[in-house]
Amino acid sequence: MKPWQIFLVGTIATVALFSFHAYESALAGMVAVAIVLAVVVGFCLLPRKDVFYLRTTVQIPDPDYAVAVEHDRIAVRVELARLWLLFIPTFAAVAFLLVTYTKGITWKFSLIDSGFVNWLNLGPYPVLQFFRFIVLGDFALLTAWISECWVLRDASACGAGFVHRNGKRIMYSFQDPQGDYFGGQGIPLGPTRSPQLRTIVLYRTGKPHLNKLAMCCLFHRLVIIGRGLTDLDEATVAARSVKSQTAAQPI
């Protein structure tokens, strides 16, 4: 940036900071509306495909060999999970912001100044700090919610070719049908009982750099609905089913 651009941005930021009390009430109302819209937008991004057929490879310890490799073909379905973790902080954050909006002040307003707080021997400042952290934490949860819904809107699935744990973070790579390699990283956010599901990568079709590892999804989970399936589409499966039923009928 040029010096005059840096000066202009700094001046605007300074004016906005010192005049925060003039518009903080309106800002609280807009943020509350934005939080609600973010939740609604996530539910509007319905997956075009929620069942995936893929082949998995699992390494199993063997007493006679260093490692045994097991191949399987499975069908998995994407389901919503842990929605309470989205709704409860969202309700608390929106309630705090709406009360702030009606009162007209944000950072000096004692949200709960009734006898209930005095009964608990809590001052207003710790309570305010708690709700501020709720708002900040809700932004992190909404970011995870929108990012997962956006990836799953038009997703494909495959197994990760490389998975490495570095402390609390997971680094992984995978190969798309065109043979190009992509990767990502994340933090395991929930238990995944089946080893076959942990290393499945969900990536946006046409944009594989937008991807999520199954064990790193917070609001979505994979469930195995079939094993040993052939790589057939639904029309072929239905046609073969009708053909087998017809052949089984007595003449």
Side-chain angles (χ1 to χ4, degrees):
M1 296 179 65
K2 297 181 180 180
W4 68 269
Q5 293 176 330
I6 298 176
F7 175 78
L8 180 61
V9 172
T11 302
I12 295 175
T14 303
V15 172
L17 179 64
F18 282 101
S19 60
F20 177 73
H21 294 287
Y23 61 86
E24 58 182 344
S25 175
L27 180 62
M30 291 187 292
V31 172
V33 174
I35 289 176
V36 175
L37 287 178
V39 176
V40 174
V41 167
F43 281 105
C44 291
L45 294 174
L46 297 176
R48 297 177 181 174
K49 181 180 180 182
D50 60 352
V51 176
F52 301 94
Y53 302 89
L54 66 159
R55 181 169 178 167
T56 61
T57 301
V58 180
Q59 295 182 352
I60 303 175
D62 190 279
D64 299 326
Y65 302 94
V67 66
V69 179
E70 181 180 282
H71 301 280
D72 192 10
R73 187 172 293 278
I74 61 176
V76 297
R77 183 176 63 234
V78 180
E79 296 182 349
L80 292 174
R82 307 180 190 93
L83 290 181
W84 65 268
L85 196 57
L86 176 67
F87 289 142
I88 294 178
T90 297
F91 289 152
V94 170
F96 168 69
L97 292 170
L98 290 179
V99 172
T100 300
Y101 171 73
T102 58
K103 292 295 183 180
I105 47 179
T106 301
W107 307 115
K108 294 183 179 180
F109 170 60
S110 178
L111 180 63
I112 305 177
D113 55 355
S114 62
F116 179 72
V117 175
N118 297 327
W119 181 69
L120 291 176
N121 294 322
L122 294 176
Y125 184 76
V127 176
L128 260 179
Q129 283 295 97
F130 172 75
F131 278 95
R132 292 174 189 169
F133 287 132
I134 287 291
V135 174
L136 295 178
D138 192 54
F139 276 108
L141 293 173
L142 288 175
T143 301
W145 167 249
I146 293 296
S147 63
E148 290 181 19
C149 292
W150 180 249
V151 170
L152 293 173
R153 169 63 174 170
D154 185 14
S156 299
C158 68
F162 168 80
V163 178
H164 174 68
R165 181 184 290 271
N166 184 10
K168 294 183 178 181
R169 302 192 68 86
I170 299 289
M171 295 183 293
Y172 59 92
S173 65
F174 64 97
Q175 189 177 16
D176 68 350
Q178 285 71 37
D180 298 325
Y181 286 90
F182 297 89
Q185 58 179 337
I187 300 177
L189 299 175
T192 302
R193 296 179 181 179
S194 175
Q196 293 177 308
L197 300 179
R198 295 173 186 169
T199 57
I200 292 179
V201 180
L202 300 166
Y203 62 92
R204 190 167 176 85
T205 305
K207 297 180 180 180
H209 61 280
L210 301 175
N211 54 77
K212 292 285 184 180
L213 193 65
M215 71 172 74
C216 298
C217 290
L218 182 60
F219 298 108
H220 297 83
R221 65 183 176 188
L222 297 180
V223 178
I224 297 177
I225 59 175
R227 294 179 180 273
L229 301 176
T230 57
D231 193 10
L232 299 173
D233 57 17
E234 295 181 1
T236 305
V237 173
R240 291 197 174 186
S241 177
V242 172
K243 184 178 180 180
S244 61
Q245 292 177 1
T246 303
Q249 293 178 356
I251 300 177

